Amino acid sequence: MRKQIAEAPSPEELAGDRKGNRATKNKRKVAPPKPKDKPEPKLITHNGETLTLKEWSDRTGIGQPTLTNRMNAGWTVADALTIRPGQAKRRAGEALRAKIEADVAERQRRRRGPNRVLTYNGETLPLGEWATRTGLQAQTIAKRIKNGWPVERALMVGDGRCTE
């Protein structure tokens, strides 16, 4: 502690000289901060040509952020560098529509269940075919079967007869 007090600047040194300048006698010299090292630019190879992301951006006209986002999203290098931004949106829209259509088809398939076949009078046909033959809706026949009706009764038209 005494050593610290002994090394402390005097009141005159703290006050500075008459011109208002602080004394520089005991001032510590601080090294200027080191400039941060810039990361090496990432090199990307496409069609046998290797360029930096900035160079590819300049060449293709696709912005660096767009290229970076595409690469981070898992796009292939070829797609990232060749698909124009407008095309990408259309492609994404088409892919989304296809996925939605596939999801809807899958939900409908699950709702309908497997292709249901019914046997009546020794003849086995899909539910849709029985609907066509009887003039009933396939939904009606399916509900009747689900509610426990025997096949003969489920295939009957409102007046009690089964048409074939």
Side-chain angles (χ1 to χ4, degrees):
M1 177 92 159
R2 287 182 187 184
K3 186 178 180 184
Q4 289 176 337
I5 293 172
E7 291 176 359
S10 69
E12 294 80 25
E13 289 174 330
L14 288 174
D17 61 14
R18 290 184 189 161
K19 294 179 183 174
N21 297 329
R22 283 176 110 21
T24 57
K25 183 178 174 184
N26 288 333
K27 247 188 181 175
R28 272 191 259 160
K29 291 187 178 181
V30 178
K34 288 184 180 179
K36 291 185 179 178
D37 293 333
K38 288 188 177 181
E40 288 293 319
K42 184 176 180 185
L43 297 176
I44 299 168
T45 302
H46 174 62
N47 285 344
E49 193 168 3
T50 303
L51 301 172
T52 66
L53 188 66
K54 180 176 179 356
E55 292 168 333
W56 279 118
S57 175
D58 293 342
R59 180 170 294 181
T60 62
I62 301 171
Q64 286 185 52
T66 302
L67 291 175
T68 300
N69 290 339
R70 288 177 175 187
M71 299 288 207
N72 291 340
W75 286 40
T76 63
V77 172
D79 284 349
L81 295 174
T82 58
I83 296 175
R84 309 295 318 155
Q87 291 174 321
K89 288 179 184 174
R90 278 193 298 279
R91 257 193 191 181
E94 291 167 5
L96 182 60
R97 275 192 294 282
K99 182 175 179 353
I100 289 171
E101 288 171 5
D103 289 347
V104 167
E106 176 64 18
R107 279 197 305 273
Q108 287 175 345
R109 187 190 67 73
R110 284 185 189 158
R111 201 176 310 136
R112 282 191 301 253
N115 286 335
R116 187 87 192 257
V117 292
L118 300 175
T119 303
Y120 176 69
N121 280 347
E123 192 172 4
T124 302
L125 296 171
L127 189 66
E129 183 60 34
W130 282 117
T132 303
R133 285 191 179 192
T134 61
L136 294 169
Q137 290 191 6
Q139 240 179 324
T140 303
I141 299 169
K143 275 190 175 180
R144 289 177 176 181
I145 297 293
K146 185 178 178 183
N147 289 333
W149 292 27
V151 175
E152 304 79 35
R153 188 165 169 230
L155 294 175
M156 287 186 186
V157 191
D159 60 2
R161 61 182 169 85
C162 182
T163 57
E164 290 186 51

